[in-house]
Amino acid sequence: METPSIIVRVATPDDIHFAATITEEMESSAKARGTGIAKRSPEYIAEKMREGKAVVAYADNGEWVGFCYIETWSHGEYVANSGLIVAPPFRKSGVAKRIKECTFKLSRQKYPDAKLFGLTTGLAVMKINSDLGYEPVTYSELTQDEAFWAGCKSCVNYDILMSKDRKNCMCTAMLYDPRDHYKPEETAEDFKQHSKAYERLLRLKQSLFLKVFGKKAGAEGSPGGSSSTKKKLFAPLSFLFNL
């Protein structure tokens, strides 16, 4: 069977027929991993498509393949690339990276001065973000917009988040600051060097948090320079987990 070509582009109102499929796959995927995501309705996804704030992937036969959208917080100071999802038959094909790259480009075009951030429980997404220039950060460096954190209420790990005073949870936070960032080659190399440590710490976090809360979880799926004021990229990793 011939592998279909996959198109990745900014979503339009013509893609709204994918909305229900996208939200269903988001929910079933989260359940399968035993991790949580903020639930979104088909109407919410459709609105993102109408606004030109989403990226969709589909095969040349019209089959839906993947999706991601952008949200703004703190009056446009922060932008989140959220809801990355790929249909099961197309996972591990490289399409997730293409979707993230397209979403990153769209975010930079629409909000060139905003800080881009994301939360993830997966090492694979951490690698994709690192390749784009994102750095792992503490939750204190993210938006403190109450509306953003309210979106976590539908996540199965919300109790963990609140028990940590919103300073930590199952997700790892990553940030791209257009005014103060490393080159993508640097962050990608850092991830390569420390990926085993990240993996161990993610497992440790999951083990400790789930043990405490008695839950069950499965495994998942201006340009910068060497500024003297920049935080140290290769600092010890334990600060990210604040257990």
Side-chain angles (χ1 to χ4, degrees):
M1 180 178 177
E2 185 177 350
T3 302
S5 298
I6 297 174
I7 297 94
V8 178
R9 60 165 173 77
V10 177
T12 72
D14 292 337
D15 301 310
I16 289 175
H17 63 283
F18 290 132
T21 300
I22 290 168
T23 54
E24 288 169 5
E25 185 55 47
M26 283 179 173
E27 185 171 1
S28 63
S29 178
K31 288 180 179 178
R33 294 193 309 267
T35 57
I37 59 171
K39 292 181 180 178
R40 299 299 183 214
S41 67
E43 292 75 23
Y44 184 87
I45 298 302
E47 185 60 26
K48 288 296 178 183
M49 293 175 172
R50 293 189 189 96
E51 294 173 345
K53 296 180 180 179
V55 168
V56 67
Y58 57 93
D60 53 8
N61 61 5
E63 182 181 3
W64 173 75
V65 172
F67 180 77
C68 191
Y69 63 91
I70 64 178
E71 295 178 300
T72 60
W73 307 99
S74 302
H75 306 289
E77 182 181 353
Y78 290 86
V79 169
N81 293 169
S82 303
L84 175 64
I85 189 71
V86 174
F90 298 95
R91 290 173 186 169
K92 298 183 179 181
S93 67
V95 70
K97 183 175 182 179
R98 291 177 59 194
I99 294 171
K100 283 288 290 185
E101 289 173 343
C102 188
T103 310
F104 180 83
K105 183 178 180 180
L106 178 63
S107 300
R108 296 286 290 126
Q109 288 174 342
K110 283 184 169 291
Y111 306 98
D113 298 323
K115 297 178 182 179
L116 277 59
F117 74 97
L119 292 168
T120 181
T121 57
L123 204 65
V125 176
M126 284 187 69
K127 182 183 185 306
I128 293 172
N129 286 344
S130 297
D131 289 345
L132 292 170
Y134 284 74
E135 303 168 36
V137 296
T138 60
Y139 281 26
S140 63
E141 295 189 53
L142 306 182
T143 178
Q144 298 306 305
D145 192 321
E146 291 296 331
F148 170 77
W149 296 103
C152 294
K153 289 181 179 179
S154 59
C155 174
V156 296
N157 299 313
Y158 184 67
D159 288 345
I160 296 175
L161 176 69
M162 297 309 293
S163 76
K164 293 291 182 177
D165 296 322
R166 295 197 325 207
K167 295 178 181 178
N168 204 354
C169 195
M170 298 293 286
C171 289
T172 297
M174 302 191 76
L175 182 78
Y176 175 92
D177 185 344
R179 291 175 294 278
D180 181 19
H181 66 88
Y182 287 89
K183 295 178 181 179
E185 306 85 61
E186 295 177 295
T187 50
E189 180 60 26
D190 175 66
F191 181 85
K192 181 179 179 181
Q193 292 182 10
H194 296 91
S195 60
K196 294 298 183 182
Y198 282 129
E199 184 176 14
R200 287 195 298 270
L201 286 169
L202 283 169
R203 288 177 177 174
L204 176 62
K205 177 195 284 192
Q206 184 182 64
S207 175
L208 290 177
F209 283 173
L210 295 179
K211 182 177 180 180
V212 170
F213 284 83
K215 294 182 179 180
K216 296 180 181 179
E220 199 185 21
S222 53
S226 56
S227 168
S228 60
T229 60
K230 188 181 293 293
K231 53 188 175 294
K232 188 177 180 183
L233 180 60
F234 306 109
L237 305 180
S238 57
F239 82 96
L240 298 176
F241 295 86
N242 190 27
L243 298 173

